[in-house]
Amino acid sequence: MFSQNKGLAKLLSVFMLVVIGSVNCLYEDQIKKFDWRTTQIGRLDQAYVELNGFQPRLLVSTKENVIASLCPKSGEVLWRQVFETGPRGSIKLMQLSSASSGADATAAARPGSAHGFDLLTVQGHAPALIRGWNANTGNLEWEWSLMPLQTEKALSSMWFYQNAMIYHVLPVWKSHLEVTPYFATSGQATGNTAKITAPWISEEKCILAGTYFTCIEGSQLISLDLTANQPQVISKALGETPVKPIRAMEGINGVIVVDDKLVGVKDDIPVCNALRGNSFTLGRFNNQNVIVTANVKDKYLNIDGYISESCQQITELTNSMPYPDHYGSPVIKSFDCKMNRNNDGKGCLFITDTSDDSILAVQQSKFRWTRSEALANIIATEFIDLPLADSEGELEKEMKGKAGDDTSLETADIVSAFIHRISSQVLHFKSLLLHVIGLGSKPSATQKAGLVRDAFGLHKMLVILTKSGKVFGIDNMSGKQHWQLHLDNVEEFSNGEQMRLLIQRTSKHFPLHALCMVVAKDKTTGNGVLYRFNPITGQPAEGGLLQLNYQIKQLSMLPETDTDFVKGILIMDSNNKVQVYPEHAKSKANGLYMYTANKATGSLNGFYVKYENSQLTTLPLWSVDLSGHNGDHQIISVASKNPIETVHSQGRVMPDRSVLYKYINPNLVAVFTQASDSIHKYLLNVYLIDVVSGSVVFSMMHRKVRPPLHVVHSENWLAYAHYNDKVRRTEITTIELYEGKTQANSTVWSSLRAPPMPLVERQTYIIPTLVTSMRETITERGITSKDVLIGTASGSIVELPWALLDPRRPISSSSNGREEGAMPYIPELPLPTENMINYNQTISRLNYIYTAPSGLESTCLVVAAGLDMFVTRISPSKTYDLLKEDFDYILISIVLVVLTTGSLVAKHLASRKSLKQAWK
């Protein structure tokens, strides 16, 4: 019996080994080989640094609703907690137990303890969540919530902490304040809500400065002490009306910053009136309270410390260092000094936030580390081809010179092509010889940085534009940041459209440099701003910054280039007048069609641009009103096709060997409108409009469907994800357009002589996750199969082949469908884990996907961004144009040599045999 059990155990062990060995997975050596990820926390809001505790720590909260712990030595994220987006996850208060006052009886909480706290946060308003965290691990220790009676008023609620009590302040603007104290750890109210009459309060002029609710009224400062038994109005004259908005100073109760100087709400609050600066913070040095200021003067960052009681400057805390322009203006958030014998200030660490959303750590007049948190808000990306290597550049320059001198090269005959080939080989050999013996030219800066174009076009410069106006130049292979620049005082456009990043000239026109342009709106004037720069070096080009004297309503790139290979930008202002930059490209705008879409009114208008007498004019052509009969329909999305897209196949082969031709209209735009309905709750309308002629090609209505809406428009198909409110699930609807089995014109498309209305195929699929973004893959020639990249709420990117989304999938498994290559229809879309291109590299708050072609037809470059950023490359049809990594070059070489030798020997033996037979 024992022997039988032993044999059964051996058989079971063998079976388990076989099963485990058949598991498919990602090879360990492939992880992060073709991809990389950055982890971000967002723009800094509050920061507390401690260097003298049991474990040095830096705890921060950000505008992106994130709390995190950073390593004070390197800035690395030790842990982070990402809350909900919007007001629901906004961090109203972050309090550290050791940063509270000396009279506080709280202490760091032990694991599992409900007494005291280590880190306390207040999040949201309906409900407000008060949580205690373990600051070392980021684990949640305890939680209680508060649900307001009126959620609209609770949106502007404020919180502050004092002496183990947490106070909830609910301002009712132009009326009164409601103040309720609670025990911080239990949530038990200590008394009734106090209502304080304050008819002067307004949202724009009031702040909370510690325990004081302070408002500005003309040249007076009006405050209320919210912890007093009988709150009284405290008034203080400022002398003049402040120009800048007032803000509270962290660390000192009742002190605010008015026009770059410190002011106490009461006369008995000691402040340093002589200090001037853009930012202040409070800390301790040599057991004294110290006020630290940070200012930029003559491109130097100056940090100074002053004793808060006597305002005497502390020379040990003085730091001065060169300050790059791309960081913007600094705001110091926190500092701490490590105690040592000398107390010379060398152990002090200063944490600074900047207007470009960077976090800087300064120590001993040097940047100890930096974090580029602007990457948490990416709005536009572009892949730029790198320049040629120095040797190839010299060769290209010489060959261009010879081609210009020799007119025979202009004739495309065999002799000139042969001469061109021989001369290029000679120049290659000359350049190689000079570089080997050390007589070649010195490598350029881009050559030293490794920014050289590779053979397959996979190595590119990734140019990223962020919401704060920060532009990055990043190596797409390694993730190294080669350059940064910051556009100050710019923002998105008035209608919610983001700033634009445009490529005017690529790197393919040697020796001309690539040229990019950022189009934005000036914060002060509201007019347009243009900034042109070299995307490889980040230096300004073609004049750099250009301030326009009008507002931008619409813009478009000209399809043709000028003699310098620069594509002009056509801009329409609010008066429907057009301008072209550069101005010498005006003639290229003649005959161009433009359209505008007004989201609020639901109307579209088309224009024709005419160049006559050296002037550009616009002629209104058509107008489409999509607002509905009640005028309540609003445009929520407009999706056009990718301008660099190439359509390789014009048709689809049918089972009877005929061709169903695609309806490929490059001027087709998908417009989505939404309205409320008393019966169906929500109405979503889809319109396919030709923006040259203004004709509506196709329209469709969805009932009980609402956003979030994400759209992909490519070739002859359209796919969009939406939320079905009736069955409460996310669905993806796909539409395909076909001309029929005959083409109206197989060579030139004209919207003015458009073919008849297309045949429309449509289908809806169920996707078992919440979609946050969508994008189609794109390749250089369009030969590779199309896949759709779907970003999910869980932070993964799913690569779905178009065959799964094909609206022509037959309901029944018929022979016609199989011959056509369409799979039978199944309503649920599969989400296999092997189709997740970011495997376990989760992207928090994924909301942006961008794709671009590479030099290889099979490979597509991908950038995915949210709070984090992920860069990779994918091959929808596998790497059919590239040899595998494990290809055996030695074996194939040996086989070729053996076959060649064998053929020569066989030829020699055959000739000898035929000679002998001839002599017989």
Side-chain angles (χ1 to χ4, degrees):
M1 186 70 180
F2 178 75
S3 61
Q4 290 180 354
N5 292 337
K6 189 175 181 180
L8 184 61
K10 289 183 178 180
L11 182 62
L12 184 61
S13 301
V14 172
F15 176 75
M16 291 297 295
L17 289 174
V18 171
V19 172
I20 293 174
S22 63
V23 173
N24 296 323
C25 61
L26 184 72
Y27 290 108
E28 187 177 359
D29 59 347
Q30 293 179 339
I31 295 177
K32 296 185 179 181
K33 185 174 183 179
F34 305 113
D35 57 78
W36 50 270
R37 184 186 69 156
T38 63
T39 303
Q40 311 295 140
I41 59 175
R43 183 177 183 180
L44 197 61
D45 186 19
Q46 290 179 286
Y48 295 109
V49 58
E50 286 188 352
L51 303 179
N52 298 305
F54 174 75
Q55 180 180 354
R57 58 186 181 179
L58 171 58
L59 300 173
V60 299
S61 68
T62 68
K63 300 289 187 181
E64 302 300 322
N65 302 345
V66 177
I67 61 171
S69 175
L70 305 181
C71 178
K73 295 182 179 180
S74 62
E76 180 186 0
V77 178
L78 302 179
W79 60 261
R80 69 174 181 178
Q81 293 288 346
V82 182
F83 301 146
E84 294 88 341
T85 58
R88 182 179 175 84
S90 63
I91 301 173
K92 301 283 188 177
L93 175 69
M94 186 180 77
Q95 182 70 36
L96 194 62
S97 62
S98 57
S100 56
S101 62
D104 192 0
T106 60
R110 296 184 180 90
S113 173
H115 302 284
F117 64 88
D118 196 8
L119 177 66
L120 180 143
T121 61
V122 180
Q123 165 203 341
H125 67 284
L129 300 177
I130 296 85
R131 293 169 169 172
W133 306 86
N134 187 321
N136 294 326
T137 62
N139 296 330
L140 180 65
E141 298 287 351
W142 51 263
E143 175 187 73
W144 59 274
S145 62
L146 177 66
M147 189 67 189
L149 296 177
Q150 297 178 342
T151 57
E152 297 81 6
K153 295 181 179 179
L155 183 62
S156 56
S157 61
M158 305 175 185
W159 297 78
F160 68 90
Y161 174 86
Q162 188 182 37
N163 298 336
M165 304 294 296
I166 188 167
Y167 292 79
H168 178 220
V169 182
L170 180 60
V172 180
W173 306 117
K174 303 297 182 181
S175 178
H176 63 277
L177 292 170
E178 298 178 6
V179 183
T180 309
Y182 299 91
F183 284 108
T185 56
S186 64
Q188 182 181 359
T190 61
N192 296 327
T193 300
K195 293 187 177 181
I196 306 172
T197 303
W200 63 84
I201 62 175
S202 63
E203 190 173 2
E204 300 81 13
K205 300 180 180 180
C206 298
I207 61 171
L208 187 64
T211 63
Y212 293 89
F213 191 85
T214 306
C215 300
I216 191 78
E217 278 291 330
S219 60
Q220 281 192 335
L221 206 61
I222 303 176
S223 305
L224 288 169
D225 188 356
L226 303 181
T227 58
N229 295 329
Q230 295 294 331
Q232 295 181 354
V233 177
I234 304 170
S235 180
K236 186 173 184 178
L238 299 176
E240 57 183 9
T241 304
V243 178
K244 299 180 181 179
I246 60 174
R247 62 182 189 273
M249 179 182 173
E250 296 289 339
I252 304 181
N253 188 22
V255 177
I256 63 173
V257 182
V258 181
D259 287 345
D260 298 339
K261 63 181 179 180
L262 299 178
V263 176
V265 297
K266 296 171 62 176
D267 294 333
D268 57 351
I269 297 178
V271 293
C272 298
N273 297 321
L275 292 184
R276 297 291 184 271
N278 296 324
S279 63
F280 303 88
T281 191
L282 182 73
R284 292 188 65 81
F285 178 72
N286 290 341
N287 298 321
Q288 290 180 316
N289 289 332
V290 176
I291 298 176
V292 172
T293 65
N295 298 284
V296 175
K297 186 178 181 181
D298 298 331
K299 296 186 177 181
Y300 271 79
L301 174 62
N302 301 313
I303 297 177
D304 299 297
Y306 303 88
I307 300 175
S308 60
E309 289 79 9
S310 62
C311 300
Q312 181 182 355
Q313 185 174 1
I314 304 174
T315 57
E316 291 86 350
L317 296 182
T318 301
N319 287 263
S320 181
M321 71 211 75
Y323 190 74
D325 294 334
H326 59 74
Y327 284 135
S329 57
V331 177
I332 191 161
K333 290 293 185 179
S334 179
F335 87 97
D336 194 21
C337 299
K338 193 171 184 178
M339 294 183 182
N340 51 35
R341 295 180 180 179
N342 299 326
N343 288 334
D344 52 3
K346 293 183 178 180
C348 295
L349 184 68
F350 302 88
I351 304 301
T352 304
D353 178 34
T354 61
S355 59
D356 74 313
D357 295 356
S358 294
I359 303 177
L360 310 179
V362 178
Q363 190 174 25
Q364 298 183 22
S365 297
K366 294 180 181 178
F367 292 123
R368 181 157 189 173
W369 51 263
T370 62
R371 289 187 61 88
S372 299
E373 294 303 329
L375 294 173
N377 289 288
I378 296 175
I379 59 177
T381 55
E382 292 288 350
F383 284 96
I384 309 295
D385 289 324
L386 293 174
L388 296 171
D390 292 346
S391 57
E392 295 179 354
E394 293 176 3
L395 172 65
E396 188 79 13
K397 190 183 298 184
E398 292 189 29
M399 290 305 301
K400 281 193 174 184
K402 290 192 174 186
D405 298 336
D406 190 2
T407 57
S408 63
L409 291 179
E410 297 178 0
T411 59
D413 56 354
I414 299 177
V415 177
S416 61
F418 178 73
I419 295 174
H420 185 275
R421 178 67 178 174
I422 295 299
S423 59
S424 64
Q425 294 292 339
V426 171
L427 289 174
H428 262 299
F429 180 74
K430 174 186 174 182
S431 177
L432 177 63
L433 182 62
L434 290 176
H435 277 78
V436 168
I437 64 178
L439 297 179
S441 59
K442 295 182 179 180
S444 60
T446 55
Q447 183 83 12
K448 293 179 181 179
L451 299 177
V452 179
R453 192 183 308 174
D454 61 333
F456 297 130
L458 298 173
H459 191 192
K460 294 179 182 287
M461 177 67 77
L462 177 59
V463 181
I464 295 177
L465 174 63
T466 63
K467 192 175 182 179
S468 64
K470 188 74 173 287
V471 188
F472 294 87
I474 303 178
D475 193 320
N476 77 314
M477 301 288 283
S478 63
K480 179 182 178 182
Q481 297 181 8
H482 289 282
W483 55 264
Q484 304 174 25
L485 61 91
H486 180 230
L487 302 180
D488 196 14
N489 202 36
V490 297
E491 62 180 1
E492 63 183 13
F493 296 98
S494 302
N495 57 355
E497 289 292 324
Q498 299 290 351
M499 294 180 284
R500 298 288 300 274
L501 176 64
L502 305 173
I503 302 176
Q504 289 192 277
R505 183 172 59 207
T506 64
S507 300
K508 297 180 179 179
H509 308 288
F510 187 86
L512 298 175
H513 298 291
L515 184 63
C516 282
M517 175 185 287
V518 173
V519 185
K521 186 186 80 169
D522 190 275
K523 288 182 180 179
T524 306
T525 63
N527 294 332
V529 175
L530 306 181
Y531 183 79
R532 288 171 285 185
F533 62 96
N534 184 341
I536 306 301
T537 62
Q539 299 297 321
E542 303 290 337
L545 185 65
L546 177 62
Q547 295 280 356
L548 305 180
N549 56 1
Y550 54 84
Q551 297 181 0
I552 297 177
K553 183 177 180 180
Q554 180 64 288
L555 62 92
S556 175
M557 291 194 68
L558 300 181
E560 299 180 3
T561 62
D562 211 338
T563 54
D564 55 356
F565 304 102
V566 173
K567 284 189 175 182
I569 307 297
L570 181 65
I571 299 177
M572 178 183 291
D573 62 10
S574 55
N575 297 322
N576 294 336
K577 295 182 179 180
V578 290
Q579 299 286 340
V580 173
Y581 294 93
E583 294 186 359
H584 59 77
K586 279 186 177 181
S587 59
K588 303 293 182 181
N590 185 37
L592 192 68
Y593 292 86
M594 295 186 70
Y595 77 97
T596 61
N598 192 320
K599 292 184 177 181
T601 61
S603 61
L604 282 83
N605 296 279
F607 302 89
Y608 177 76
V609 181
K610 188 176 182 180
Y611 179 74
E612 193 174 32
N613 299 327
S614 302
Q615 295 293 329
L616 286 173
T617 56
T618 57
L619 177 66
L621 288 183
W622 54 266
S623 178
V624 176
D625 186 7
L626 304 178
S627 61
H629 61 281
N630 292 328
D632 57 347
H633 291 249
Q634 293 185 350
I635 297 175
I636 60 174
S637 180
V638 178
S640 58
K641 298 180 181 180
N642 195 329
I644 64 172
E645 182 181 55
T646 302
V647 181
H648 180 261
S649 176
Q650 293 186 350
R652 181 169 184 165
V653 179
M654 304 300 291
D656 58 356
R657 300 299 181 265
S658 62
V659 177
L660 187 62
Y661 290 100
K662 299 177 181 178
Y663 183 85
I664 305 173
N665 185 350
N667 307 315
L668 200 64
V669 170
V671 182
F672 295 81
T673 64
Q674 186 192 21
S676 300
D677 185 78
S678 58
I679 300 176
H680 304 291
K681 287 187 178 181
Y682 305 100
L683 296 178
L684 181 68
N685 294 299
V686 185
Y687 301 94
L688 296 180
I689 300 177
D690 190 314
V691 292
V692 170
S693 62
S695 60
V696 179
V697 176
F698 173 75
S699 64
M700 183 171 61
M701 175 186 291
H702 296 275
R703 295 178 175 86
K704 295 185 178 180
V705 167
R706 60 181 176 88
L709 180 72
H710 304 282
V711 190
V712 171
H713 194 187
S714 176
E715 292 191 359
N716 68 317
W717 54 268
L718 178 73
Y720 53 96
H722 51 81
Y723 184 77
N724 191 324
D725 199 63
K726 180 181 180 180
V727 290
R728 305 194 178 196
R729 67 191 181 198
T730 302
E731 298 176 346
I732 295 181
T733 300
T734 57
I735 299 174
E736 267 191 324
L737 307 177
Y738 293 95
E739 285 191 42
K741 295 192 175 182
T742 58
Q743 273 186 307
N745 193 330
S746 60
T747 57
V748 178
W749 175 271
S750 175
S751 293
L752 303 179
R753 300 183 187 89
M757 289 299 174
L759 306 175
V760 180
E761 300 282 351
R762 47 188 166 176
Q763 193 61 268
T764 298
Y765 297 92
I766 303 169
I767 183 166
T769 185
L770 182 64
V771 178
T772 59
S773 58
M774 291 177 64
R775 190 81 176 195
E776 83 280 11
T777 60
I778 184 172
T779 53
E780 193 169 5
R781 303 286 183 180
I783 301 173
T784 306
S785 301
K786 286 275 187 181
D787 285 358
V788 178
L789 302 179
I790 300 176
T792 66
S794 61
S796 60
I797 309 170
V798 182
E799 183 182 3
L800 282 183
W802 174 247
L804 293 175
L805 297 169
D806 191 353
R808 290 184 58 84
R809 291 177 63 178
I811 301 297
S812 60
S813 181
S814 60
S815 59
N816 290 340
R818 288 196 298 269
E819 291 181 14
E820 191 178 337
M823 294 182 292
Y825 174 75
I826 301 176
E828 295 84 6
L829 290 172
L831 297 180
T833 54
E834 59 266 23
N835 281 23
M836 296 181 182
I837 63 174
N838 59 331
Y839 47 104
N840 67 343
Q841 303 292 319
T842 303
I843 307 169
S844 182
R845 292 184 189 163
L846 174 61
N847 57 16
Y848 176 84
I849 299 177
Y850 175 77
T851 57
S854 67
L856 285 174
E857 172 57 29
S858 63
T859 306
C860 174
L861 305 177
V862 180
V863 177
L867 189 62
D868 305 329
M869 182 174 65
F870 180 76
V871 179
T872 186
R873 64 189 192 215
I874 58 175
S875 302
S877 300
K878 308 301 180 183
T879 53
Y880 57 84
D881 53 356
L882 195 66
L883 293 176
K884 295 183 178 180
E885 293 183 356
D886 57 351
F887 184 79
D888 198 338
Y889 293 93
I890 298 178
L891 178 61
I892 197 66
S893 301
I894 293 174
V895 170
L896 288 175
V897 170
V898 170
L899 289 177
T900 304
T901 306
S903 62
L904 293 176
V905 172
K907 180 181 179 181
H908 177 68
L909 294 177
S911 62
R912 288 185 60 185
K913 182 178 178 180
S914 60
L915 183 62
K916 288 181 180 180
Q917 288 179 351
W919 281 99
K920 288 182 179 179

